[in-house]
Amino acid sequence: DADVTQTPRNRITKTGKRIMLECSQTKGHDRMYWYRQDPGLGLRLIYYSFDVKDINKGEISDGYSVSRQAQAKFSLSLESAIPNQTALYFCATREDMNTGELFFGEGSRLTVL
Amino acid sequence: QKEVEQNSGPLSVPEGAIASLNCTYSDRGSQSFFWYRQYSGKSPELIMFIYSNGDKEDGRFTAQLNKASQYVSLLIRDSQPSDSATYLCAATSGTSYGKLTFGQGTILTVHP
């Protein structure tokens, strides 16, 4: 089983719908991240969290919200999806050290029509 | 200005050549730098990290860091077609502990 699991892997929805992307991890890391990837734009940070009470906005948090339900679970919500939120979304975890690498989930491809 | 910028691609090199990937960062407080490789449709995977000025070598890969110039590079020696991928540079934040910011990526193609 993957250490970082994202669900759903693919989702097509309509403008205005509420969408939740879920992430769970078995690595025991406190740090969890949500990134968005668009062609030519690399990975852009949406939100990151150090524990259930510590959630921080990233570069592009507008239109998104998150919930850290437990150390192992970090969910990303789009309250009212719009077409320019069509992208590939990655969840990642990281060791609590400055040289710690990110461990990524397999990604969730979201299409908003 | 983006916090982390990579040289525009795509980059194409012949098999066996050296591929040079470059990255600059704007946050002088950044301490650690990472190079990730991402194959099409897959998740990024770590190639190397570096946090001290100078060179760090791992097999065919060499990362170079120059904090005075705020510059990080990745050299791939003896490039192989299997190295064809998108390469992502990332840097930690000097002000927001734990934040990791990526550049836009450089697409590398190694042709036989």
Side-chain angles (χ1 to χ4, degrees):
Chain A
D1 289 342
D3 294 325
V4 184
T5 302
Q6 293 183 231
T7 56
R9 295 289 314 282
N10 287 283
R11 181 74 182 268
I12 300 174
T13 191
K14 295 182 178 180
T15 297
K17 294 292 188 181
R18 184 178 187 275
I19 294 297
M20 179 180 286
L21 306 180
E22 298 184 330
C23 178
S24 63
Q25 53 114 346
T26 58
K27 298 196 72 69
H29 294 160
D30 288 327
R31 300 185 191 182
M32 296 188 75
Y33 300 75
W34 276 105
Y35 286 92
R36 165 180 172 159
Q37 187 169 39
D38 300 275
L41 295 179
L43 290 164
R44 292 185 291 168
L45 182 61
I46 307 173
Y47 273 96
Y48 59 111
S49 169
F50 295 157
D51 64 37
V52 294
K53 297 180 181 179
D54 187 353
I55 294 176
N56 305 277
K57 292 184 177 181
E59 305 165 72
I60 55 163
S61 59
D62 287 349
Y64 301 94
S65 63
V66 290
S67 174
R68 185 80 183 267
Q69 301 94 325
Q71 186 209 36
K73 296 184 182 295
F74 192 36
S75 301
L76 177 70
S77 293
L78 288 68
E79 295 301 325
S80 180
I82 57 177
N84 76 0
Q85 291 177 312
T86 293
L88 181 59
Y89 291 85
F90 284 104
C91 175
T93 72
R94 186 167 177 233
E95 296 171 292
D96 188 19
M97 51 192 291
N98 217 24
T99 55
E101 69 174 284
L102 282 167
F103 293 89
F104 287 89
E106 294 179 304
S108 296
R109 185 167 295 281
L110 176 66
T111 302
V112 183
L113 302 176
Chain B
Q1 180 189 7
K2 272 185 68 71
E3 292 183 35
V4 179
E5 294 206 45
Q6 298 184 234
N7 53 324
S8 58
L11 179 65
S12 181
V13 300
E15 185 174 356
I18 296 175
S20 177
L21 303 160
N22 303 313
C23 175
T24 58
Y25 60 96
S26 61
D27 183 352
R28 284 203 168 272
S30 294
Q31 295 291 319
S32 300
F33 305 88
F34 303 81
W35 283 100
Y36 283 82
R37 176 177 62 198
Q38 186 180 24
Y39 292 114
S40 181
K42 301 295 186 181
S43 306
E45 54 182 349
L46 182 70
I47 300 175
M48 294 185 70
F49 72 87
I50 186 168
Y51 54 86
S52 298
N53 270 330
D55 295 358
K56 180 180 180 181
E57 187 174 318
D58 184 0
R60 295 186 297 112
F61 299 94
T62 300
Q64 300 174 316
L65 173 61
N66 183 325
K67 290 187 176 180
S69 300
Q70 296 177 239
Y71 177 90
V72 190
S73 66
L74 180 70
L75 300 177
I76 306 174
R77 290 183 301 280
D78 189 23
S79 296
Q80 301 297 309
S82 59
D83 294 325
S84 298
T86 297
Y87 288 80
L88 297 158
C89 172
T92 55
S93 169
T95 54
S96 298
Y97 182 75
K99 181 181 177 184
L100 197 61
T101 302
F102 284 82
Q104 73 272 36
T106 300
I107 298 172
L108 171 67
T109 301
V110 180
H111 52 87

